[in-house]
Amino acid sequence: MPKRGAPPEVNAGSMADIAFLLLIFFLVTTTIETDAGLDRMLPPIEPPETDVVIKQKNIFEVIINKNGQLFADEELVEISQLREKAMGFLDNGGAPSGSADYCNFCQGSRNTSSSDNPTKAIISLKNDRETPYGTYITVQNEIVGAYNDLRNREGQRLYKRDFTSMEAAYLNPETAESVRDELKDKVKAIQDLFPQKFSEAETSNN
Amino acid sequence: MSKFSKKKDGELPAVSTASLPDIVFMLLFFFMTVTVMKDSSLKVENILPNANEIKKLEKKDRIIYIYAGRPTQEYQKVFGTETKIQLNDKFANASDVGDYILQERAKKPQELQNVLTTSLKVDKYANMGIISDIKLELRKVNALKVNYTTYDGDAFRNLQ
């Protein structure tokens, strides 16, 4: 039999079936992972020096009770005010201008009854066993946010770029090596200006 | 007149289905690139809280996962409604966390063993008590790098 003008078309209906099978396989066996969160360092189990003298004014104590109420620096505050208060504490720079601890980039109120300079300022977080985890995360978020806002301010002042964007670019494995090396020094410099001295005390059983 | 074929009356041309597989393949490629193979199915309720000061966990091979929350409906009859910890695929107690971390650490290559991060995926309605127990166990085995895994969003929505 002579061939027809055009060869017969391949039936494409079964291609869709193959594609559906593969699609169903992937739908069933994979998940869209959440892979971001608040990075924290836990304190080591034996404190390195137990008898370092820390002045009371250099500690900012945050306590959350089981109802989710917040005590910051001995007064009852709303969680929405926490970020400002933490920033005020860290940025205070209470050391007088002649002394070795003076910080010249602090823009806070320079109150002598609050922290001396950001490298000595410690924030300590304490919570109850019945505190809901969501509230705890909100408080952590606000405190980490206070550190990030101050570091961003310094990043803009020194390098005209937000600290968080520099850090994200540095951590991203896709950026070029040379760019990452120069970012590394800048990121470290800003981290040293406002070190994250944020510790978590043992929980209580109120 | 022979160049133009007679117009068919009333018959619609058949719709070509050759492009249907293309649409399905596009969906397939989307799923292949965006998702990861699950390594354990969740037996606990795990609605993560929101936070916006988050950092991405880049390297999947340096992460150890710990899930915590109330057991899902089908496990509630056996395991109750208290917050529980899930490690890999099984329920566990806080005291098992230390051994689990040491096991996972031993499975990793030598140079990665000191830079492992523990990702805590905890339901937002869980209580802090069990979390403090987990943190104490982590400190005992010196797994100090911890990431509280959350969704990206406004943190104040956790308070409702």
Side-chain angles (χ1 to χ4, degrees):
Chain A
M1 184 142 52
K3 231 192 218 181
R4 286 191 250 154
E9 274 197 8
V10 174
N11 185 0
S14 39
M15 287 248 282
D17 290 335
I18 299 172
F20 276 127
L21 265 177
L22 276 173
L23 181 64
I24 291 174
F25 167 73
F26 274 101
L27 271 174
V28 162
T29 58
T30 63
T31 57
I32 300 181
E33 280 282 351
T34 46
D35 54 353
L38 297 167
D39 250 351
R40 307 282 315 114
M41 288 290 287
L42 298 174
I45 196 91
E46 272 102 25
E49 314 116 41
T50 42
D51 48 350
V52 167
V53 174
I54 307 176
K55 287 191 260 194
Q56 186 58 32
K57 61 178 178 165
N58 280 328
I59 300 186
F60 185 77
E61 219 189 3
V62 180
I63 307 177
I64 322 176
N65 75 356
K66 64 182 176 179
N67 298 324
Q69 289 169 311
L70 197 63
F71 254 101
D73 227 11
E74 274 132 58
E75 51 177 314
L76 189 64
V77 290
E78 288 292 325
I79 304 188
S80 44
Q81 303 168 317
L82 178 61
R83 193 184 281 223
E84 266 185 64
K85 283 194 166 289
M87 281 172 73
F89 168 73
L90 291 170
D91 205 20
N92 187 51
S97 68
S99 74
D101 293 336
Y102 182 65
C103 102
N104 50 8
F105 55 87
C106 289
Q107 295 172 17
S109 56
R110 306 235 173 241
N111 192 344
T112 44
S113 64
S114 185
S115 75
D116 279 340
N117 66 26
T119 49
K120 291 194 166 196
I122 301 177
I123 299 187
S124 110
L125 179 59
K126 191 166 189 261
N127 55 284
D128 188 84
R129 281 188 79 89
E130 299 279 315
T131 309
Y133 180 69
T135 314
Y136 174 76
I137 288 291
T138 308
V139 171
Q140 285 260 5
N141 190 51
E142 291 303 297
I143 298 179
V144 173
Y147 277 106
N148 280 343
D149 286 348
L150 288 169
R151 287 173 169 184
N152 283 343
R153 188 191 75 194
E154 292 306 304
Q156 285 291 350
R157 182 177 67 91
L158 293 171
Y159 306 116
K160 299 276 178 293
R161 193 174 164 186
D162 265 356
F163 171 75
T164 39
S165 88
M166 286 199 278
E167 195 184 19
Y170 170 61
L171 291 174
N172 189 355
E174 290 168 23
T175 46
E177 268 304 314
S178 52
V179 176
R180 290 176 74 186
D181 284 334
E182 94 173 84
L183 281 177
K184 180 176 182 178
D185 296 325
K186 294 182 183 173
V187 163
K188 185 143 194 345
I190 301 184
Q191 280 176 336
D192 290 338
L193 288 181
F194 281 103
Q196 215 177 53
K197 299 203 172 173
F198 175 14
S199 81
E200 307 195 28
E202 307 285 339
T203 52
S204 60
N205 262 324
N206 287 334
Chain B
M1 188 147 126
S2 61
K3 283 198 187 160
F4 305 105
S5 52
K6 249 192 292 195
K7 191 170 117 189
K8 300 198 186 85
D9 16 281
E11 223 181 272
L12 292 171
V15 175
S16 162
T17 55
S19 48
L20 261 185
D22 290 336
I23 299 172
V24 185
F25 276 129
M26 278 213 301
L27 261 178
L28 178 65
F29 289 146
F30 166 75
F31 276 103
M32 277 170 67
T33 49
V34 166
T35 62
V36 252
M37 293 291 182
K38 277 196 281 205
D39 56 1
S40 49
S41 44
L42 278 180
K43 294 186 182 169
V44 293
E45 285 173 0
N46 212 349
I47 309 174
L48 301 175
N50 292 327
N52 52 15
E53 305 284 340
I54 54 181
K55 283 218 238 352
K56 269 192 172 315
L57 290 168
E58 292 291 341
K59 304 169 179 98
K60 296 273 182 232
D61 54 346
R62 299 191 190 183
I63 307 176
I64 303 177
Y65 294 97
I66 298 183
Y67 302 93
R70 285 171 309 170
T72 49
Q73 287 291 27
E74 58 213 29
Y75 291 100
Q76 264 177 18
K77 302 185 220 18
V78 183
F79 292 103
T81 53
E82 283 296 311
T83 310
K84 291 201 80 69
I85 307 175
Q86 178 183 338
L87 298 172
N88 267 343
D89 258 339
K90 304 189 301 255
F91 286 110
N93 294 325
S95 43
D96 303 328
V97 171
D99 297 328
Y100 172 72
I101 297 284
L102 291 172
Q103 272 174 11
E104 291 291 315
R105 194 182 275 171
K107 288 186 205 166
K108 307 277 180 195
Q110 193 65 27
E111 61 273 6
L112 290 185
Q113 281 186 1
N114 294 332
V115 285
L116 294 175
T117 304
T118 310
S119 158
L120 289 176
K121 294 196 173 183
V122 183
D123 185 50
K124 69 175 174 180
Y125 298 115
N127 290 337
M128 282 309 294
I130 200 153
I131 311 298
S132 326
D133 297 336
I134 298 177
K135 289 202 294 198
L136 190 60
E137 293 294 318
L138 289 177
R139 287 168 68 194
K140 285 188 197 163
V141 290
N142 211 32
L144 301 176
K145 282 188 72 155
V146 141
N147 183 294
Y148 296 110
T149 311
T150 59
Y151 294 128
D152 189 359
D154 179 18
F156 287 97
R157 288 175 52 198
N158 299 338
L159 303 173
Q160 280 123 25

